[in-house]
């Protein structure tokens, strides 16, 4: 028997990622993106959009993230896909609809395609809480990128 665990050191130069970013609340999503890029870069991944390791796709809001994630996952060009969005309750009466559709669609995409799709959509009551998670206190963009590297490497191990 064996223990499988994703790591942060192997296959680094061959890994490919897509990052999908919602423009809605881009004060927050821009910062999540910076955190994710910082993490990928410090693990040796070339985050330059002109390079071969990370593609970036901007969408209007979190509701559009799942369909784009699905399309990218079906292309099989990526080891993992990171979805970045920010849904803030104070801004909208349809907070719950946007959150539910985003989480359902992202989870379904992972499940259907076998490509790790990381749920990096912040769901908070206030802009203050969102900003605290996007850089004022910590930057969860970093954590989402860590999950992407870990899952990319784990899938390479268990697909063998
Ligand atoms: N999209 C978000 O990413 N965050 C939000 O807080 C939000 N609010 O508040 O409505 C939001 N709405 C836009 C939605 O994601 C779609 O882009 C839009 O409905 C067009 O389909």
């Amino acid at each position: 028997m064996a223990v499988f665990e994703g790591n942060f050191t192997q296959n680094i130069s061959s890994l490919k990622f897509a990052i999908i970013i919602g423009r809605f609340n881009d004060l927050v999503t821009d910062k999540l993106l910076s955190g994710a890029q910082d993490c990928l870069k410090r693990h040796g991944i070339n985050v330059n959009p002109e390079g071969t390791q990370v593609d970036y796709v901007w969408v209007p809001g979190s509701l559009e993230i799942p369909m784009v994630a699905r399309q990218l996952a079906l292309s099989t060009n990526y080891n993992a896909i990171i979805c970045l969005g920010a849904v803030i309750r104070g801004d909208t009466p349809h907070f719950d609809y946007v959150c539910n559709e985003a989480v359902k669609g992202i989870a379904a995409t992972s499940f259907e395609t076998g490509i790790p799709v990381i749920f990096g959509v912040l769901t908070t009551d206030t802009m203050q809480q969102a900003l605290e998670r996007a850089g004022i206190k910590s930057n969860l963009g970093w954590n989402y990128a860590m999950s992407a590297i870990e899952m990319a490497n784990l899938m390479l191990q268990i697909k063998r």
Side-chain angles (χ1 to χ4, degrees):
M1 300 307 284
V3 175
F4 296 99
E5 220 173 14
N7 64 66
F8 304 94
T9 51
Q10 283 173 325
N11 309 304
I12 287 296
S13 61
S14 65
L15 293 178
K16 294 196 191 312
F17 298 93
I19 306 182
I20 307 170
I21 318 105
R23 287 189 198 282
F24 207 101
N25 292 319
D26 67 356
L27 186 64
V28 177
T29 58
D30 254 341
K31 290 184 191 302
L32 290 176
L33 175 60
S34 301
Q37 286 177 309
D38 189 38
C39 174
L40 295 176
K41 197 162 64 183
R42 289 211 250 158
H43 284 84
I45 292 154
N46 179 1
V47 297
N48 187 330
E50 257 109 74
T52 57
Q53 288 200 270
V54 187
D55 285 335
Y56 300 87
V57 185
W58 286 87
V59 296
S62 298
L63 211 50
E64 284 73 34
I65 290 176
M67 71 167 296
V68 172
R70 183 173 179 276
Q71 192 68 34
L72 296 175
L74 288 173
S75 76
T76 68
N77 288 338
Y78 306 100
N79 297 94
I81 297 169
I82 303 169
C83 302
L84 301 178
V87 193
I88 301 175
R89 190 181 290 277
D91 286 358
T92 174
H94 52 273
F95 172 91
D96 293 314
Y97 300 120
V98 177
C99 291
N100 288 344
E101 291 311 307
V103 73
K104 260 195 302 176
I106 289 170
T109 300
S110 253
F111 193 71
E112 180 197 335
T113 63
I115 304 290
V117 184
I118 305 301
F119 184 73
V121 179
L122 289 181
T123 56
T124 62
D125 287 332
T126 64
M127 174 59 86
Q128 174 69 21
Q129 288 171 346
L131 288 171
E132 282 170 6
R133 292 159 179 73
I136 291 183
K137 286 185 177 167
S138 61
N139 190 327
L140 289 180
W142 172 285
N143 303 53
Y144 303 143
M146 288 294 278
S147 299
I149 301 171
E150 180 175 351
M151 284 304 296
N153 263 326
L154 178 62
M155 293 308 281
L156 286 177
Q157 288 178 41
I158 64 176
K159 273 182 184 169
R160 267 194 209 128

